[in-house]
């Protein structure tokens, strides 16, 4: 993955975790494939991807619970690749919490301190339990706490050691939705408060977007794209990212004209504009646009001057979700495009069966890698090449 | 008439929807307990009372026994057979310790390292039970006999004097006890280790515990219920055993079980045998209580 660079890549001293060309194979299965990542110090970093994409394996390799097949892992300037887990200055919040059932909450939290020979732990334990809002629970056993409380004990047990990096392995996965939302904000608050680098593994894109400063979207053992939540959402670099983070409409076309004010692409006879220079005339290019960036206006009405990209179609489905109305519009060539109209009041509704024009601003269009079977021959298609790498 | 009909029809249709709540009878739980209580009474309580009463009787088989509250039976039995008593606990204790030292690694290996061999290994642990206790102990008598290969080998490498023997030594008795009661140690240990979440060891490693500390602070602590159960299941029957010492030991090194057996069946001195039995039972009970209290595992049992 040589093309992806984190924003902090240039400044080596401010990076906390560097994963350099790490590969992990289980038998014949490659869980992590030549992964290179730099996690800036003090950041809230999310590894996002579906199950089986290698995110948890990556985390476990940083913790030392798995040994990489190849590559190096550095904490700051120290190579920890061959260091046993108990010698690494990192701590993990496990998905299952893995609290010691035979110890009290206070002893669970004190476990790491005691192993390092800290004598007087009670004050620190009390402070840490206060931080996770479990003051006074010290004498209970893990079995007497609810899932959310156990989760916070697991967090306190890891944080009390002031690790260089805190690893969180889907820590909110077992909680119900409401508690999960609450804990997301809580985790973010604690991270800001203690200033420790958090590496958070999750398959929940909303969770990653809510909490993380930087997100690495992983797929099949590789990083698809790395960036801030807004960047990933507004400028997804690949079809995979565009569809994993929210929804996208993808339109496959051919480059018509590359000029100073953008690139013109023909999609089934519709001429659509996209900012920037992409490829050269005749090359294939796919365009993406988010459903909430589009509007559907009845055919014959002018959508407005700014909404330069227009595609005709017929409304096939209307569903009202409260926040928005979602339309499905079938284009003449048979593709379905989603349109989300925000329910701000006053806008004109269109009905199923109506002929409409779907329109959006050219600057809301983003380029995507062409359909997987079609490999761009053009070496100049830099964005495409980057997206695919 | 109509009212009566509808009044009747109402509950009937209700019943198809949901079971009508059956009246709970206060004695139902006791009724269910009855078979178990009867079993306990017939096979535990009655023999216990009979044994206790016998231990306080005087007389002889020819003239019959009478309950005379003869407490001297106890002091007499204990002063005569004190050595056997002590030996019983010594041998049983040594065998229990050996069982723990052999059984813990075995149970650990079966629980965590055996993989697909786990069931086979468990069957192998239980397999000796397919043969009678007596036959297995007799087999050890043959293995340890003076002209057996074990003694020959030990003599050859000078671990044993030329006239030295294994049979009829305390070592042979302890070995036999260890062998015979090992499964009683391994199975509870396995049961408590097997249900342990291995991720706890990852958590311990993550929290700066090396392998030894993780074992001491997590694995060992979580397996304590198994250790307590295993040591009790080994120690209690081993303390009362009379077969191993009879086959593998000498009359001079008799355990209290041997004495009880011979008093009951050979000498026909029932009161002394009963007094010894009762004393054994009480002292084992005391040892168990002290032990469990010391380990702090009362809530684990």
């Amino acid at each position: 993955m040589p093309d992806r660079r984190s924003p902090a890549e240039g400044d080596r001293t401010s990076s906390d975790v560097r994963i350099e060309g790490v590969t992990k194979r289980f038998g014949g299965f490659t869980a992590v494939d030549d992964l290179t990542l730099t996690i800036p110090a003090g950041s809230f970093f999310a590894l996002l991807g579906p199950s089986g994409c290698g995110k948890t394996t990556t985390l476990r390799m940083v913790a030392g619970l798995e040994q990489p097949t190849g590559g190096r892992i550095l904490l700051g300037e120290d190579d920890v690749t061959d260091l046993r887990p108990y010698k690494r200055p990192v701590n993990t919040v496990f998905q299952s919490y893995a609290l010691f059932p035979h110890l009290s909450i206070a002893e669970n939290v004190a476990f790491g301190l005691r192993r390092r020979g800290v004598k007087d732990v009670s004050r620190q334990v009390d402070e840490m339990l206060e931080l996770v809002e479990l003051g006074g629970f010290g004498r209970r056993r893990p079995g007497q706490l609810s899932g959310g409380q156990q989760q916070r004990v697991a967090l306190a047990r890891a944080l009390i050691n002031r690790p260089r990096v805190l690893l969180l392995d889907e820590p909110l996965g077992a909680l119900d939705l409401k508690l999960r939302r609450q804990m997301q904000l809580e985790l973010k608050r604690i991270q800001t408060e203690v200033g420790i680098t958090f590496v958070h593994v999750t398959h929940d894109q909303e969770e990653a977007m809510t909490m993380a400063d930087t997100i690495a979207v992983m797929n099949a053992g590789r990083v698809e794209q790395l960036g801030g939540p807004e960047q990933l959402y507004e400028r997804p670099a690949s079809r995979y990212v565009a569809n994993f983070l929210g929804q996208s409409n993808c339109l496959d076309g051919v480059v018509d004209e590359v000029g100073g004010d953008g690139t013109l692409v023909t999609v089934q006879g519709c001429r659509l504009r996209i900012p920037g220079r992409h490829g050269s005339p005749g090359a294939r290019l796919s365009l993406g646009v988010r459903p909430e960036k589009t509007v559907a206006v009845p055919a014959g009405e002018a959508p407005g001057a700014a909404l330069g990209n227009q595609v005709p179609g017929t409304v096939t489905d209307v569903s009202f979700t409260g926040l928005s109305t979602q339309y499905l519009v079938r284009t003449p060539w048979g593709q379905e495009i989603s349109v989300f109209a925000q329910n701000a009041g006053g806008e004109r509704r269109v009905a199923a069966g109506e002929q409409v024009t779907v329109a959006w601003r050219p600057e809301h269009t983003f380029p995507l890698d062409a359909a997987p079977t079609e490999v761009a021959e053009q070496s100049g298609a830099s964005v495409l090449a980057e997206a695919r790498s | 008439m109509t009212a009566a009909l509808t009044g009747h029809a109402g509950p009937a249709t209700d019943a198809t929807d949901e079971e009508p709540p059956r009246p709970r009878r206060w004695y139902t739980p006791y009724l269910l307990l009855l078979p178990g209580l009867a079993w306990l009474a017939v096979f535990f309580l009655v023999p216990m009372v009979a044994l206790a009463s016998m231990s306080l009787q005087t007389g002889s088989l020819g003239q019959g026994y009478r309950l005379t509250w003869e407490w001297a039976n106890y002091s007499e039995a204990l002063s005569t057979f004190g050595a056997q008593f002590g030996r019983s606990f010594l041998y049983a204790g040594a065998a229990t310790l050996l069982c723990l030292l052999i059984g813990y690694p075995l149970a650990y290996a079966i629980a965590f390292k055996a993989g697909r061999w786990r069931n086979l290994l468990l069957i192998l642990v239980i397999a000796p039970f397919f043969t009678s206790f007596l036959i297995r102990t007799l087999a050890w008598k043959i293995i340890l006999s003076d002209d057996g290969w074990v003694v020959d080998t030990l003599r050859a490498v000078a671990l044993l004097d030329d006239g030295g023997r294994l049979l009829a030594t305390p070592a042979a008795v302890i070995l036999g006890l260890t062998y015979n009661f090992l499964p009683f140690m391994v199975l509870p240990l396995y049961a408590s280790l097997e249900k342990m979440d291995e991720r706890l060891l990852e958590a311990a490693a993550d929290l700066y515990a090396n392998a030894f500390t993780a074992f001491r602070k997590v694995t060992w602590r979580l397996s304590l219920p198994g250790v307590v159960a295993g040591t009790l299941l080994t120690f209690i029957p081993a303390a009362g055993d009379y077969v191993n010492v009879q086959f593998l030991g000498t009359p001079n090194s008799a355990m209290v079980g041997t004495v009880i057996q011979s008093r009951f069946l050979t000498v026909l001195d029932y009161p002394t045998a009963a007094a010894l039995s009762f004393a054994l039972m009480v002292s084992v009970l005391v040892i168990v209580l002290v032990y469990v209290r010391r380990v702090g595992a009362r809530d684990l049992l």
Side-chain angles (χ1 to χ4, degrees):
Chain A
M1 305 298 297
D3 293 331
R4 307 252 162 261
R5 302 227 174 263
S6 102
E9 180 91 326
D11 188 3
R12 293 249 152 164
T13 52
S14 74
S15 70
D16 239 358
V17 183
R18 270 190 290 148
I19 299 170
E20 295 184 347
V22 164
T23 298
K24 175 69 186 179
R25 288 191 198 91
F26 294 104
F29 173 70
T30 305
V32 175
D33 191 3
D34 192 24
L35 181 80
T36 297
L37 257 185
T38 301
I39 296 166
S43 68
F44 200 129
F45 190 95
L47 283 171
L48 176 65
S51 56
C53 74
K55 55 191 192 304
T56 294
T57 308
T58 305
L59 196 80
R60 288 172 60 84
M61 286 192 288
V62 175
L65 300 170
E66 301 285 356
Q67 194 60 31
T69 315
R72 295 204 306 161
I73 294 169
L74 291 96
L75 290 179
E77 293 308 308
D78 312 319
D79 189 337
V80 297
T81 316
D82 296 319
L83 220 53
R84 310 282 286 165
Y86 60 87
K87 293 198 168 156
R88 298 192 188 198
V90 299
N91 289 111
T92 310
V93 178
F94 292 88
Q95 185 172 13
S96 57
Y97 315 142
L99 299 179
F100 302 119
H102 58 295
L103 298 177
S104 68
I105 297 306
E107 277 309 310
N108 263 283
V109 175
F111 195 90
L113 292 181
R114 293 209 190 279
R115 298 290 82 71
R116 290 185 301 164
V118 177
K119 284 282 177 290
D120 188 27
V121 296
S122 61
R123 198 181 49 83
Q124 283 194 65
V125 168
D126 288 345
E127 275 175 17
M128 196 44 73
L129 285 176
E130 287 298 332
L131 180 75
V132 297
E133 292 171 355
L134 282 176
F137 281 73
R139 301 183 63 167
R140 301 208 192 171
R141 294 285 175 107
Q144 297 169 307
L145 301 191
S146 71
Q149 290 169 330
Q150 291 189 29
Q151 203 280 328
R152 281 182 279 171
V153 174
L155 182 66
R157 186 178 69 170
L159 269 181
I160 197 167
N161 305 296
R162 299 267 148 195
R164 282 191 71 144
V165 182
L166 184 77
L167 307 171
L168 302 115
D169 183 9
E170 305 230 14
L172 310 180
L175 305 181
D176 62 60
L177 191 68
K178 197 176 160 212
L179 202 53
R180 199 152 69 214
R181 293 271 174 279
Q182 193 185 325
M183 281 306 299
Q184 286 171 7
L185 301 175
E186 193 81 337
L187 271 177
K188 185 74 193 157
R189 171 184 71 83
I190 290 170
Q191 197 265 337
T192 317
E193 216 166 303
V194 297
I196 290 173
T197 310
F198 277 34
V199 181
H200 183 109
V201 157
T202 180
H203 63 264
D204 181 344
Q205 47 111 354
E206 203 178 322
E207 188 173 301
M209 304 259 268
T210 311
M211 293 194 283
D213 314 319
T214 314
I215 301 172
V217 182
M218 287 189 71
N219 181 28
R222 293 165 159 273
V223 172
E224 283 274 336
Q225 192 179 359
L226 188 136
E230 209 179 316
Q231 187 195 347
L232 289 186
Y233 189 79
E234 302 294 353
R235 289 275 169 265
S238 70
R239 210 172 268 263
Y240 180 83
V241 175
N243 285 312
F244 194 76
L245 287 168
Q247 291 183 42
S248 300
N249 295 308
C250 296
L251 299 158
D252 302 324
V254 175
V255 176
D256 219 19
E257 195 183 311
V258 183
D261 56 345
T263 306
L264 266 178
V265 180
T266 306
V267 176
Q268 306 284 341
C270 303
R271 283 164 68 82
L272 305 174
R273 188 173 292 280
I274 174 171
R277 306 171 74 93
H278 304 284
S280 53
R284 292 182 180 279
L285 182 66
S286 293
L287 305 179
V289 65
R290 296 287 183 187
E292 71 276 13
K293 299 282 172 29
T294 60
V295 295
V297 295
E301 286 182 24
L307 304 172
N309 286 344
Q310 298 181 1
V311 170
T314 315
V315 177
T316 57
D317 188 53
V318 182
S319 47
F320 179 71
T321 65
L323 274 178
S324 66
T325 307
Q326 305 190 2
Y327 300 101
L328 270 183
V329 177
R330 185 184 292 275
T331 60
W333 59 91
Q335 190 181 352
E336 298 223 296
I337 296 178
S338 322
V339 175
F340 293 175
Q342 216 206 337
N343 188 19
E347 57 278 297
R348 187 186 180 301
R349 296 261 176 81
V350 288
E354 219 173 313
Q355 296 288 323
V356 293
T357 304
V358 178
W360 66 94
R361 289 165 176 270
E363 55 269 37
H364 287 153
T365 317
F366 46 83
L368 290 172
D369 44 347
T373 48
E374 299 158 18
V375 178
E377 302 88 339
Q378 307 293 327
S379 58
S382 59
V383 173
L384 273 174
E386 190 185 346
R388 201 175 295 110
S389 61
Chain B
M1 181 67 185
T2 332
L5 265 178
T6 47
H8 229 80
T13 43
D14 275 353
T16 55
D17 288 334
E18 54 182 299
E19 284 288 304
R22 262 194 244 165
R24 280 176 185 274
R25 295 189 177 84
W26 62 269
Y27 53 79
T28 309
Y30 298 96
L31 216 62
L32 291 171
L33 263 177
L34 209 59
L37 288 176
W39 192 91
L40 264 183
V42 173
F43 293 107
F44 180 70
L45 214 57
V46 171
M48 278 280 280
V49 171
L51 194 68
S53 124
M54 179 54 82
S55 72
L56 296 171
Q57 293 181 6
T58 46
S60 69
L61 199 60
Q63 294 158 351
Y65 292 101
R66 278 184 310 111
L67 181 59
T68 53
W69 300 99
E70 187 71 26
W71 292 99
N73 281 345
Y74 279 89
S75 51
E76 218 167 278
L78 289 177
S79 61
T80 319
F81 300 110
Q84 283 86 340
F85 241 96
R87 209 175 284 130
S88 282
F89 291 130
L90 189 72
Y91 287 2
T96 305
L97 195 66
L98 275 174
C99 276
L100 186 62
L101 290 178
I102 300 167
Y104 201 102
L106 182 60
Y108 188 93
I110 296 174
F112 295 129
K113 310 287 179 198
R116 61 202 180 92
W117 300 105
R118 179 190 280 198
N119 285 338
L120 181 70
L121 287 172
L122 277 176
I123 289 170
L124 287 179
V125 168
I126 306 162
F129 288 130
F130 292 127
T131 319
S132 146
F133 184 56
L134 284 175
I135 307 275
R136 281 181 283 136
T137 313
L138 269 171
W140 273 103
K141 190 178 175 127
I142 295 163
I143 294 170
L144 299 179
S145 66
D146 292 341
D147 44 3
W149 61 270
V150 176
V151 170
D152 282 349
T153 313
L154 287 177
R155 281 179 182 161
V157 298
L159 276 174
L160 217 56
D161 301 334
D162 275 347
R165 49 193 311 220
L166 284 177
L167 213 55
T169 60
V173 178
I174 293 169
L175 203 74
L177 288 171
T178 307
Y179 162 75
N180 275 312
F181 294 109
L182 187 61
F184 294 104
M185 180 65 88
V186 173
L187 293 179
L189 278 176
Y190 167 78
S192 71
L193 283 169
E194 188 263 342
K195 65 181 181 213
M196 200 185 90
D197 186 352
E198 277 186 85
R199 283 172 295 196
L200 292 177
L201 293 180
E202 288 190 347
D206 189 66
L207 293 164
Y208 315 107
N210 58 31
F212 176 68
T213 313
F215 173 79
R216 205 163 49 91
K217 291 287 175 187
V218 180
T219 314
W220 172 255
R221 291 287 303 275
L222 286 172
S223 68
L224 270 185
V227 173
V228 171
T231 46
L232 292 184
L233 280 177
T234 312
F235 181 80
I236 295 171
D241 181 76
Y242 58 91
V243 171
N244 284 281
V245 77
Q246 195 167 336
F247 286 164
L248 307 173
T250 61
N252 296 334
S253 64
M255 290 165 70
V256 72
T258 333
V259 180
I260 294 171
Q261 188 231 13
S262 74
R263 288 281 128 179
F264 263 125
L265 300 179
T266 318
V267 188
L268 304 179
D269 177 7
Y270 291 163
T272 309
L276 278 173
S277 298
F278 226 77
L280 178 66
M281 208 152 61
V282 169
S283 45
V284 166
L285 198 67
V286 168
I287 290 173
V288 167
L289 287 179
V290 169
Y291 168 68
V292 170
R293 190 176 269 266
R294 280 293 290 278
V295 179
R298 257 179 312 169
D299 54 329
L300 301 176
L301 282 181

